[in-house]
Amino acid sequence: MKKSLLKVAAIGSAVVLLAACGSSDSGSGDGSAAPGGSAYAGPVGAGEGTLNVLAWPGYAEDGSTDPAVDWVSPFEEATGCQVNVKVFATSNEAFTLFQSGQYDVVSASGDASLRMVYGNLVQPVNTGLVPNYADILPELKNQPWNTVGETNYGVPHGRGANLLLYPTKDYPTAPDSWAEMFEADSPLKGQVAPYGDAIYIADAAVYLMATQPDLGIKNPYALDQTQFDAAIALLEQQKPLVAYYWGDLVKQGQDIANGTVKQSQGWQLTANFTNSSTPGAVGSVKPKEGTTGWSDTWMVKKDTKSINCSYLWLDHVASPEVQAQIAEYFGEAPANIKACDLTKNANHCEEFHASESDYWDDVWYWTTPTEACLDGRTDVKCVTYDEWVKAWSSLTAA
């Protein structure tokens, strides 16, 4: 795990800049019908020999990071598909890399998946050719970040919440609110670390949903201009509190552990990794206002020449055996609930709320903002992801 995280750390600063700059062709779309084309009819036959995988760190491990962590090699042996893995650190980096056409499959978070759909980069997925899809949690299927209309574009991978991380030595009682990360009277000036990506605007919107209900925000990814302006104003208010916008999760964890950063939005992975060397140093909690989160999707390049290897991979990573390994290694809830019987830590799924539907009620999974409001409104236009990126670039450059 450490080697994968250090790869993320090495590119962290560059990735934050990339996220701020965005792409000239984000493919965020206007909410019209998704690109056409038929899903692969099958049958899934012998692999073509090579599969190029673009993935979050910890999603496609081949034993090079840790010899004991390897679900790629068994796949290669079983299918004859030689897997080449490239990791990325943010969704913006994933989108830019996938545009190159070099990769057959990608583990896309919701803030990239619709960009890939509307950018005509991925193809519909025939879930009938993925036997393990039947055991994926129903609440992760047919969602706005993996399905457009009746067309499914991928297989759910897992899910997690973006949590409030804090140094336990400074908080005998865990904080229960995002307030000190946002409010002007916060005592934490220069001591908070927000996520360094435009999708963090949604975190401000989540806080406003709870604290300024008169704004009428119903979905943090469906912001009309007035609501969007309020979220940006809140982030401007936050700026005096910011130590830095994090992109290097190793540094983030270390700074929280030593108290340089008092509060940060981040992943359970960061707390787990830091606590592995400094036990109990970093605490994590889901605040009372709710939070953003992720439900990643395995997607297939539109014109891949390795369609059989791609489908074999989709089924492999959706299997309970592999889902258990990934969920435990990365630190998330598996999408295949059968994985819970196979984790080494018998309490893993309980700790990550895998089957607690109520826990996820106020977790807003990353979703690409589009002009057609995702909350169902038709009387206004919502601010697109392109505009989110422009506003974020202006905010963080000043």
Side-chain angles (χ1 to χ4, degrees):
M1 179 184 283
K2 186 172 183 179
K3 190 178 295 182
S4 285
L5 295 184
L6 290 177
K7 289 178 184 176
V8 176
I11 59 177
S13 297
V15 167
V16 170
L17 289 174
L18 175 62
C21 294
S23 167
S24 60
D25 179 20
S26 74
S28 55
D30 61 0
S32 58
S38 300
Y40 183 51
V44 177
E48 295 83 1
T50 303
L51 182 70
N52 296 316
V53 175
L54 185 62
W56 287 102
Y59 279 13
E61 290 296 314
D62 61 3
S64 60
T65 301
D66 182 340
V69 181
D70 183 0
W71 49 89
V72 170
S73 297
F75 172 79
E76 292 175 323
E77 293 167 6
T79 65
C81 302
Q82 178 63 44
V83 177
N84 304 307
V85 179
K86 169 72 174 177
V87 299
F88 57 85
T90 71
S91 290
N92 233 54
E93 187 193 11
F95 180 74
T96 301
L97 288 170
F98 202 69
Q99 282 181 306
S100 72
Q102 299 176 46
Y103 305 98
D104 301 299
V105 295
V106 58
S107 62
S109 289
D111 55 331
S113 55
L114 288 188
R115 284 188 279 168
M116 292 179 180
V117 169
Y118 288 112
N120 210 19
L121 301 177
V122 294
Q123 61 179 273
V125 166
N126 183 348
T127 59
L129 298 178
V130 184
N132 283 301
Y133 185 80
D135 295 321
I136 298 296
L137 283 164
E139 60 203 81
L140 297 182
K141 296 177 179 178
N142 305 314
Q143 296 297 330
W145 56 88
N146 57 37
T147 304
V148 177
E150 300 297 320
T151 304
N152 190 287
Y153 280 88
V155 174
H157 167 90
R159 58 178 169 175
N162 293 317
L163 303 172
L164 175 58
L165 306 182
Y166 60 92
T168 54
K169 67 183 180 65
D170 293 325
Y171 290 90
T173 300
D176 67 350
S177 171
W178 293 113
E180 289 189 342
M181 281 195 65
F182 285 114
E183 295 295 346
D185 61 354
S186 169
L188 303 183
K189 288 185 170 50
Q191 296 176 301
V192 307
Y195 184 42
D197 190 273
I199 203 65
Y200 184 72
I201 295 170
D203 291 79
V206 168
Y207 185 69
L208 290 174
M209 287 171 67
T211 58
Q212 296 187 35
D214 55 307
L215 286 168
I217 300 174
K218 303 300 182 185
N219 181 319
Y221 308 102
L223 304 178
D224 61 36
Q225 193 63 56
T226 298
Q227 295 165 340
F228 183 78
D229 290 346
I232 296 299
L234 180 60
L235 293 172
E236 289 282 6
Q237 176 177 288
Q238 182 190 57
K239 286 187 70 174
L241 309 178
V242 174
Y244 55 82
Y245 298 95
W246 74 267
D248 174 343
L249 59 82
V250 176
K251 173 178 168 54
Q252 176 199 23
Q254 291 171 341
D255 287 346
I256 297 169
N258 65 34
T260 303
V261 168
K262 302 296 187 187
Q263 291 189 13
S264 181
Q265 179 259 45
W267 307 331
Q268 186 64 42
L269 171 66
T270 305
N272 291 350
F273 175 68
T274 307
N275 291 340
S276 68
S277 57
T278 312
V282 177
S284 60
V285 66
K286 186 183 73 169
K288 61 187 179 184
E289 296 90 0
T291 188
T292 58
W294 72 90
S295 174
D296 298 332
T297 304
W298 283 103
M299 310 182 85
V300 179
K301 185 174 76 168
K302 182 170 183 177
D303 56 354
T304 178
K305 297 187 184 334
S306 295
I307 189 65
N308 290 323
C309 282
S310 295
Y311 269 84
L312 291 166
W313 176 260
L314 294 186
D315 194 51
H316 180 68
V317 292
S319 69
E321 296 81 7
V322 175
Q323 282 271 302
Q325 293 177 73
I326 297 175
E328 203 159 20
Y329 182 69
F330 186 83
E332 64 183 4
N336 187 329
I337 201 64
K338 288 185 176 179
C340 293
D341 294 329
L342 302 176
T343 55
K344 293 179 181 179
N345 173 10
N347 297 319
H348 176 85
C349 283
E350 180 180 351
E351 293 170 2
F352 285 85
H353 313 280
S355 58
E356 296 177 38
S357 297
D358 291 350
Y359 178 85
W360 305 97
D361 286 346
D362 59 355
V363 176
W364 295 89
Y365 302 118
W366 285 341
T367 307
T368 307
T370 59
E371 185 176 283
C373 296
L374 298 172
D375 59 6
R377 286 179 293 167
T378 57
D379 57 335
V380 295
K381 293 180 179 180
C382 280
V383 180
T384 67
Y385 189 74
D386 283 344
E387 295 304 314
W388 283 46
V389 171
K390 291 176 184 176
W392 180 258
S393 179
S394 176
L395 174 81
T396 55

